[in-house]
Amino acid sequence: MTSFIQIGSTYVGKALIDLLAGNSQINHIQASILFILLIMLVFGVGNQVIQKLSEYCTGIHNSIFTNYMERIFMERALQADLQFFDSPEFYDKFQNARMNSQAAVNVVWNIINAVSAAVTFVTTFILVSNTNLLFGIILVLAVVPSTIAERKYTKILYRWDLNHVKEQRQMSYISSVASDRAHAQDIRLFHISDILRSRYIKIWEIYFKNRKSLLKKRTLISLAFTVLPEICTIVMLAFIALSVVAGERTIGDFTLYQGLLAQLSSAVFLMVTYAISIYDNKLRIENIQDFLKIKNTIHNNGRKELKTVDSIEFRNVSFTYPGTDKKVLNGLSFHICNHEKLAIVGINGAGKTTLIKLILRFYDPDEGEILINGNSIQTYTLESLHRCFSSFFQNAANYAFTLRENITLSDPDQKSDDVKIKKALEFGGASDLLESLGQGLNTSLTRAFEDDGVELSGGQYQKIALARTFYRDSCVILLDEPSSALDPEAEYHLFKKLEKLCENKMTIFTSHRLSNIFMADKIVLIENGQALEYGTHEELMHKNGRYAQLYRYQADKFIHSEKLKA
Ligand code: ADP
């Protein structure tokens, strides 16, 4: 529409100049001038209205589409296998897709603009060619070299961006560390700010230097080629000026062709620019598709619904984390039955947490089998498998939501019941904490969004994460170092309560403090990826092997410190 308004304005301008120059045969000159000015006003206002409408539509479309893309990315991240969060390649692709999401928004407008430029081009080409076909053809050909150069550099820049995502991620990481609460204390105490700053600047300088030189080359080359259409336009105008001087054309004709030629070369230029942008958008959208195409490796092909867990068996299970070559588990076998409590012990890095992750199918073993109720774990649907477990991980994160939400998140299907929530908090050892909070269960955890939110200690956050685990209605409880951040008193009470809470539930837990093992029916000691020892505490102490040795280390330490105190 704007194309037609612009062309129309050029013709109206010609008519006005002819009237003013006295080249017109019309009788009522003043009325005609007024009429033309009125048309100009209509065109001007029309143009403004269309532009404002288009700005409004672009703005609305941008917001909706950006939000839509963000939700797609969020969904992909939510559904991604846990292993992807260990993979730099996944993060690179994620960042790439995020960075390029604007391309998916822009492509629609680039197509609309390209069509509009094409309409202007066709119309002005016909109008110019009416006078001289050669004019139109030469002007179009003059734009070709810059098109080729632009396309080439668009591709080079795109590839360059693709290969430098790592640097961009590193810079974003450093700036997120600078504003992250978890790092704020270290940064201040150790004066890490200089290191962060110089690291950021170092990456940026190399990144920017290379990108700048590419941009410079592109600008210089496209600048050189854009001179060509300008020269052609001036030569054509010179021909028309000569015919005006010779009396073959009017001054109005000159302004008309000046306008048409400017519109034609700008239409060709815009058409090329938008076509290149569409090409660039296409490359970037492929990037988004690449990211969305990443397939999960944990297949949810099982058809059986797991209702209750009567037994879990590890049969010669071996496992290596994807992208690494160290076998964390190497032929591990053990068995646990309904209502039993199994303690998994071993030195740091033995593979205790890994074992729990395998039970939850966050990863699948490379060799061997995990059986639940005698069937391979993979024969059950993932949803029903997860439904049967409630788990606590030592690095459990809390959420910047209310305390109530932080607890009920683990079982959103349950009708929110304050009595149950308070019971879970009591099991987690957080009853005192609840009483101290002014707004009780409605208190916001962290002050990230609410001024009256609360910041808690590591131990207090752990108690809330524990309460979340206990709130979930499940038949098996998995606890990975549930007392790692608790004080000795809280730890003692937790294990005492666990005895009661887990009375009729299968429970698997890890604990670095062997004194907590008292609640376990069976103990499995993992070393070198295998179940080195398996049995009750008494059996293993009697065996006087590795478990007895580890147990004595801790007991000796305790007796030694008692002696020192005495
Ligand atoms: P534990 O719980 O017994 O302390 P983990 O099961 O956490 O030990 O870890 C066992 C080994 O696996 C360690 O050597 C650790 O470095 C490695 N590991 C743990 N998580 C990952 C991971 N996501 N990617 C690669 N290696 C891992």
Side-chain angles (χ1 to χ4, degrees), residues 345-488:
V345 298
I347 56 170
N348 289 339
K352 306 182 289 293
T353 309
T354 306
L355 183 155
I356 292 180
K357 288 181 186 168
L358 290 181
I359 296 178
L360 294 171
R361 280 201 77 199
F362 289 158
Y363 300 87
D364 278 335
D366 309 324
E367 287 165 41
E369 235 185 338
I370 302 172
L371 306 168
I372 294 189
N373 304 343
N375 300 310
S376 164
I377 198 169
Q378 298 185 11
T379 58
Y380 299 107
T381 63
L382 266 182
E383 296 74 26
S384 71
L385 175 79
H386 289 162
R387 187 59 258 173
C388 286
F389 292 90
S390 188
S391 59
F392 169 86
F393 287 98
Q394 55 176 311
N395 56 358
N398 282 292
Y399 303 81
F401 300 157
T402 64
L403 176 59
R404 176 184 279 103
E405 287 166 326
N406 264 279
I407 307 298
T408 54
L409 271 177
S410 64
D411 207 346
D413 296 340
Q414 257 190 71
K415 199 164 158 278
S416 180
D417 169 3
D418 283 5
V419 176
K420 249 203 107 179
I421 298 173
K422 285 179 185 165
K423 195 95 199 136
L425 282 164
E426 189 195 327
F427 277 120
S431 293
D432 294 352
L433 172 67
L434 174 63
E435 277 164 28
S436 70
L437 297 175
Q439 298 189 54
L441 290 173
N442 295 325
T443 308
S444 292
L445 294 197
T446 83
R447 302 188 64 204
F449 303 109
E450 307 295 340
D451 275 343
D452 57 357
V454 290
E455 292 295 347
L456 302 175
S457 71
Q460 287 172 321
Y461 276 127
Q462 186 161 41
K463 287 175 181 177
I464 290 168
L466 277 166
R468 181 161 57 242
T469 307
F470 300 140
Y471 178 78
R472 186 172 164 90
D473 202 1
S474 65
C475 53
V476 185
I477 294 189
L478 303 173
L479 301 165
D480 180 26
E481 294 284 0
S483 60
S484 58
L486 300 187
D487 57 67

Side-chain angles (χ1 to χ4, degrees), residues 22 37 40 86 186 192 219 258 301 304 315 333 396 453 461 486:
L37 286 175
M40 280 180 150
D86 306 326
D186 271 2
I192 299 173
T219 311
Q258 188 183 21
N301 295 336
K304 283 192 193 138
R315 210 181 266 175
S333 299
Y461 276 127
L486 300 187

